[in-house]
């Protein structure tokens, strides 16, 4: 949405664009207004996999298992993503879950889709958010410190698992290359990241795809607390979809947290001197990706 809004403003079709999202997913489940199962319909290519019972999480579990097979990634390395994200959530008074947890907690939680347990999975919450994009001259005239969209990129990969040639290659690789090139910066310049974390392997493949580490090295990369506030690459600093907020779609909250960090408004979870933030959203089961590099002057 950000890329399309920026293009509309740049082309002169609009001077201000508001992007908004809201959902009462958790409340609806409690009132039985919806089911917990995500349905993407059975038309098109998906109809050929539907009879085999592939759930959304099972697709991510397959990707995780393949990464473990090819690169020796361990389940504890994946679990560290959940533990680090919960650490960040403990610093956010608005996070849904704030009690810190351990690798043992993740391992002992209920198995959902092997090898992923419940704490490898995003929470269900209600939530909403919005961002305002404005033409440069109007943005400079505002009372709050503007955050600039420096570069964006989008990429599409596959619809079904059978169409995905490599379960360890996220389309974030191509989206990230575009965004970083257009922004004129590299992953080494980034101060913090906000990436979609529906499941822990999503974070792992995204960080590799964006170039923060080499392909296959995501496990050791995240294993030392690097993703925590105060770590080398603070990621999902509000507690992410794994602990803070996930009402069905997570992308809006990535943008909101990025802006808060870059404006220095994040309170106890503030990343020191944050000037550049990489935001990446993932769609489907690594089916698509969009990346935005945001910064301050």
């Amino acid at each position: 949405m950000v890329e399309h809004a920026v293009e509309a403003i740049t082309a002169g079709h609009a001077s201000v664009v508001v992007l908004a999202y809201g959902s009462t997913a958790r409340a609806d489940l409690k009132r039985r207004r919806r089911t917990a199962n995500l349905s993407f319909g059975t038309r098109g290519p998906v109809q050929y996999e539907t009879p085999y019972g592939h759930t959304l999480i099972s697709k991510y579990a397959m990707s995780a298992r393949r990464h473990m097979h090819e690169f020796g990634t361990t389940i504890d390395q994946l679990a560290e993503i959940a533990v680090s994200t919960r650490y960040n959530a403990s610093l956010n008074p608005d996070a849904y879950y704030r009690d810190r947890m351990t690798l043992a907690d993740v391992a002992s939680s209920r198995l959902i889709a092997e090898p992923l347990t419940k704490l490898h999975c995003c929470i269900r919450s209600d939530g909403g958010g919005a961002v305002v994009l404005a033409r440069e001259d109007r943005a400079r005239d505002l009372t709050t410190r503007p955050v600039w969209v420096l570069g964006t990129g989008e990429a599409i990969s596959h619809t079904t698992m059978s169409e995905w040639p490599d379960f360890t290659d996220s389309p974030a690789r191509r989206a990230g290359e575009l965004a970083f090139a257009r922004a004129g910066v590299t992953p080494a310049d980034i101060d913090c990241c906000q990436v979609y974390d529906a499941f822990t392997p999503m974070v792992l493949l995204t960080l590799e795809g964006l170039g923060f580490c080499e392909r296959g090295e995501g496990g050791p990369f995240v294993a030392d607390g690097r993703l925590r506030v105060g770590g080398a690459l603070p990621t999902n600093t509000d507690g992410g979809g794994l602990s803070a907020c996930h009402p069905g779609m997570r992308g809006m909250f990535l943008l909101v947290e990025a802006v808060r960090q870059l404006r220095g408004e994040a309170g106890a979870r503030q990343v020191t001197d944050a000037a550049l933030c990489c935001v990446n959203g993932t769609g489907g089961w690594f089916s698509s990706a969009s990346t935005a590099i945001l910064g301050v002057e």
Side-chain angles (χ1 to χ4, degrees):
M1 293 191 295
V2 169
E3 179 166 295
H4 298 181
V6 169
E7 289 174 347
I9 293 171
T10 302
H13 300 315
S15 59
V16 178
V17 177
V18 178
L19 308 179
Y21 172 78
S23 171
T24 54
R26 186 179 181 89
D28 290 349
L29 280 171
K30 284 189 173 184
R31 294 182 175 91
R32 298 186 177 181
R33 292 174 178 167
R34 68 169 77 187
T35 67
N37 295 323
L38 291 173
S39 175
F40 292 93
T42 55
R43 292 177 294 179
V46 177
Q47 67 181 301
Y48 299 109
E49 290 187 354
T50 299
Y52 297 95
H54 285 180
T55 58
L56 179 67
I57 185 176
S58 71
K59 301 174 193 295
Y60 280 94
M62 290 169 69
S63 175
R65 179 56 74 190
R66 187 66 195 179
H67 202 280
M68 296 168 77
H69 172 75
E70 286 198 25
F71 304 114
T73 307
T74 68
I75 193 62
D76 278 352
Q77 289 170 339
L78 286 171
E80 174 58 35
I81 295 171
V83 173
S84 291
T85 307
R86 180 64 65 86
Y87 173 87
N88 295 343
S90 73
L91 306 175
N92 177 10
D94 294 323
Y96 199 92
Y97 292 104
R98 299 188 63 198
D99 293 337
R100 296 184 184 181
M101 62 187 186
T102 66
L103 295 178
D105 293 330
V106 180
S108 62
S109 61
R110 182 165 58 93
L111 186 66
I112 303 297
E114 201 279 333
L116 305 180
T117 63
K118 180 179 179 180
L119 292 178
H120 284 275
C121 308
C122 65
I123 66 172
R124 282 190 174 272
S125 72
D126 300 332
V131 296
V132 179
L133 291 101
R135 197 175 60 222
E136 183 174 346
D137 60 321
R138 299 198 66 177
R140 293 186 183 280
D141 194 41
L142 299 176
T143 57
T144 53
R145 184 186 190 188
V147 170
W148 303 100
V149 181
L150 304 180
T152 60
E154 295 178 282
I156 297 174
S157 176
H158 56 277
T159 302
T160 64
M161 296 297 283
S162 57
E163 295 172 307
W164 192 9
D166 188 337
F167 286 9
T168 66
D169 184 23
S170 167
R173 175 175 54 83
R174 288 178 287 128
E177 287 173 355
L178 288 170
F180 280 112
R182 291 166 178 170
V185 300
T186 70
D189 299 316
I190 298 298
D191 299 306
C192 62
C193 281
Q194 313 298 335
V195 303
Y196 208 139
D197 59 338
F199 307 100
T200 54
M202 181 186 282
V203 177
L204 193 78
L205 264 68
T206 298
L207 293 175
E208 289 184 0
L210 292 173
F212 288 101
C213 61
E214 294 297 323
R215 189 173 175 193
E217 295 181 1
F221 182 80
V222 304
D224 61 354
R226 185 184 300 263
L227 307 186
R228 303 185 187 196
V229 174
L233 185 67
T235 298
N236 295 338
T237 47
D238 65 341
L242 291 170
S243 288
C245 175
H246 195 297
M249 301 288 180
R250 174 72 187 155
M252 183 60 64
F253 306 97
L254 306 176
L255 295 167
V256 169
E257 179 65 10
V259 170
R260 285 176 173 161
Q261 286 290 342
L262 294 174
R263 285 183 176 165
E265 300 172 347
R269 64 184 187 277
Q270 180 63 50
V271 175
T272 304
D273 299 326
L276 285 172
C277 185
C278 176
V279 181
N280 187 88
T282 300
W285 29 92
F286 295 106
S287 304
S288 60
S290 57
T291 309
I293 308 301
L294 307 182
V296 294
E297 289 180 309

